[in-house]
Structure formats: C-alpha cells, structure tokens
Amino acid sequence: MGDMQGERVEVEITGVAHGGIFVARHEGRVIFVSDAIPGERVIAQITDDAKSSFWRADTVAVLDASPHRRPHVWDSAALDREPAQRAGGAEFGHILLEHQRELKRQVIVDSMKRMAKLDVAVDVAALPSGELAGEAVADGDGTGWRTRLRLHVGDDGTPGPYAARSHRVIEVTELPLAVPEARKVAPLGEKFTGADFVDIVVPSTGAPLVLVDDAASGPTKHSNRIIERVGDRDFRLDVRGFWQVHRHAAQALTTAVQQAIDESLFDARAANLDLYGGVGLLAAAVGDRFGRAVRITSVESDAGATDHAAENLVDWVGAAAVTARVERYLRQVGTEARGADRSRLRAATVVLDPPRAGAGKAVVSELVRLEPAQIVYVACDPVALARDVALFAAQGYEMSRLVAFDLFPNTHHVEAVATLVRR
C-alpha cells in the first residue's frame, strides 16, 4: 500500500460511523471521511492507506452540500483550513445541531442492531446549554457547555487542542465549546515552556481554576477540593477528579437514572450497588429518589474519589463507599455471599457507569452471577454498550428501556442509559 497517501478522490458519503467519521466507498474500498455529512459529494484527501480493509481521509472540498451543513462553530476547525491544521474536539461542529442528534441516534440504533441483534427506537435528547451563566437557555448552536478542558502544550510552549487523530498542538484564539467562565480565564496567548498541559476547571460553585502540569515536577499536587452542586445537593471532589463535563450533565444523569429504575423491582433494603461510582453522584440519585432507608454501596477504584463519596453519601446510614476494582469486588461478593446476603443481592438494583471501553465480559459475568433484580447501565460509548447488552442477553438479562442524551454537542459522543432486567 502506501501509494494513495495525500491523493484526492471524489466520493459520495453514504452514512455515519462511530467515532465522528463518515462512510464512503471508492472502487469498492471503504473510506472513513471526516468533516462530511451523509448525502454529500465531497473531495477527500487520503490521510491513511495502511490498512487494506479501509482508508481514512479528510474532506477538503464539498461539491454537493447537505442541507444540514452550516459554517463550523469553531473557526479553528473549519474546512478552509488545511486538514492537518484543524483543531480536534468538535468533529460535528459543521452540522446543524438537530441533525447531529439524528446521526448519533443512527449510531446507537446501528450498534444495537449489529452487536446485540436488537431493533431499538430511541431519541437523543437535548440538554439546556447554559450560554447564560446560571440560566438554562435553549440549545442555541451547541456551544458554551464545557466546564472542563485540557489544553496540550506544544514544543514551543503554546497551549491548544490537538489536531484530530494527532498529537500536534494547534494554536487557537477561541474555545467555543467552553463555558464563558472558562473562555475568560483560558491562557491562550501565553507560553508554558516545559509544561505538558494546562487544565481549566469551572466548578458550579467557587472560582474557575487554571492548573498547569509541569513535566519536570510531575503533576502539581493540588489538594484543591471543589464543590459541585446538583439541585440542592453538594458533592465534594478533587479538582482533577472525574466529573461530568457538560454544565447540565450531572443533573440530567441524576434524573435519567432515577427514571430508569423500575420502582416495582426496587428494594431499599437490598444490597444495592453503584459500580464505577466516582464521588457518589448516581448513588445519591438513587438515595434521593427512594429515601433515607436506601442501602447502597458505591464501588470505585480511585481511593481519592471513594473518600469523597463516603462524605457525599453521609445522608444515608445504609450507604458505603468501597475502594476496589469492580470485577474483583463483584467476584469477592459473589464468592462470599450466603443465605440472606445472597437474597439481598438478588433483590438489588445495580447502577453501572463504566469508562468508555464498557463493562466487558468479566464484569458482566460476575454481575450476572449475583442475579440482581435490575441493572441501570449508563454508557458514554454506544458500541461498548451494545456489545455489553449482547453479553447480558446471552446470560438472561434483556434491555427493557433505553434513552439517550446529547451531553457533548458538536462532538460525536453520546450518552445512553439502559435498563436491563432478568428475563
């Protein structure tokens, strides 16, 4: 291979694939094209022809534009730039918002069909975007929602995002996806020689923070605790600890998980579980819906997060936070549970919020062995979710409900919440 690199081809875009790329065929070969929209005819420049099964390419000109195309929300990622100089991280920014959600819906539906052999009907719901600080305004153009962002630092000390699928730092003058408070403090014109990256964190309470990571001294030890407020509940966490990025995502997921639980299968006194629980956001969602008597154990491998979870869940006497790898925790519980413990597990509602790679075979198998009454699976990757839904189905659990949310407008990412029950 190797002879097509840099060549330009005229192609018809026929569909969307997971990962923010679009599908075309050229002389029988699949080409994954970025910056396009299904239905368009474009000129694409081949960037990667190393695999015989598919090539990658970037759109350099649109011959026949989709009615869903708009000027890119981020000038630094626009079509008139050389593909290698386009900022990454807003790969759907050239598509009207409503159609972005339609494409995300198609990716979920296709994944479920392909991997779990299920025909699902699902809509991708919009979140308020909060361009006006403290006010939920309608969606606008899908900008102004990111409360956390990382700027990488180039060899010359310039901070900026990476170019798409590359570790090349792009100098930018604006950060349209960021909340206004982050835009104000972003040190875009400055130099950070010797640093690896600059993190900007805008908590819902307190001042925005700019944290510089120095390669020489390792990560700066910020024992900075921040407080995130969801409804009228406060969550303490480390400034670099995991928290949902969209300003309204924590509230949206709280409500989504509360609604995803089948009340007729819920038992407050069961051995309820919150797996990959972070600082306890979703355990608290369960507790707030079902009251003070709720027993729930939040399991998370990051000790800093579980320390905070213990504090954040103090309102429930029956809540606990355990530091453990989920698979190991489930195996141990499954091995040791007898009699009454076993029935409490069988009556359990399990909330599962795994990282992008999904729960995977080992965790699904250990979880199914406990035979919980229902599983609420919060997923940030539709392909991983569909694969896990297929694993659950093979072991007696079927998906009874699926909803999806656009927590990451102008990117290809989409969040889904599935409920699984014993057949």
Side-chain angles (χ1 to χ4, degrees), residues 1 4-18 20-38 40 42-59 165:
M1 311 303 296
M4 283 299 286
Q5 196 90 359
E7 290 291 320
R8 295 185 168 193
V9 293
E10 186 179 317
V11 292
E12 186 91 39
I13 306 295
T14 55
V16 61
H18 182 46
I21 45 181
F22 302 89
V23 184
R25 277 186 177 68
H26 179 66
E27 293 171 0
R29 176 178 277 101
V30 171
I31 306 184
F32 289 128
V33 184
S34 55
D35 299 313
I37 304 175
E40 291 189 328
V42 304
I43 292 176
Q45 184 169 327
I46 309 293
T47 55
D48 179 358
D49 63 354
K51 289 197 170 61
S52 58
S53 53
F54 67 86
W55 293 344
R56 288 186 183 278
D58 290 315
T59 300
R165 282 190 300 284

Side-chain angles (χ1 to χ4, degrees), residues 293-315:
V294 167
R295 292 181 185 177
I296 191 162
T297 302
S298 195
V299 183
E300 163 63 54
S301 59
D302 176 339
T306 39
D307 284 351
H308 284 120
E311 209 176 331
N312 294 332
L313 299 173
V314 74
D315 280 1

Side-chain angles (χ1 to χ4, degrees), residues 108-136:
I108 296 172
V109 170
D110 292 348
S111 306
M112 283 294 174
K113 188 156 192 64
R114 207 174 64 247
M115 311 195 75
K117 308 287 181 275
L118 289 177
D119 288 315
V120 300
V122 68
D123 281 319
V124 177
L127 264 58
S129 64
E131 276 96 340
L132 308 168
E135 286 179 45

Side-chain angles (χ1 to χ4, degrees), residues 44 125 134 139 147 204 221 247 268 270 287 405 421:
D139 237 336
T147 60
S204 53
K221 288 284 173 274
R247 168 161 272 168
F405 300 92
V421 294

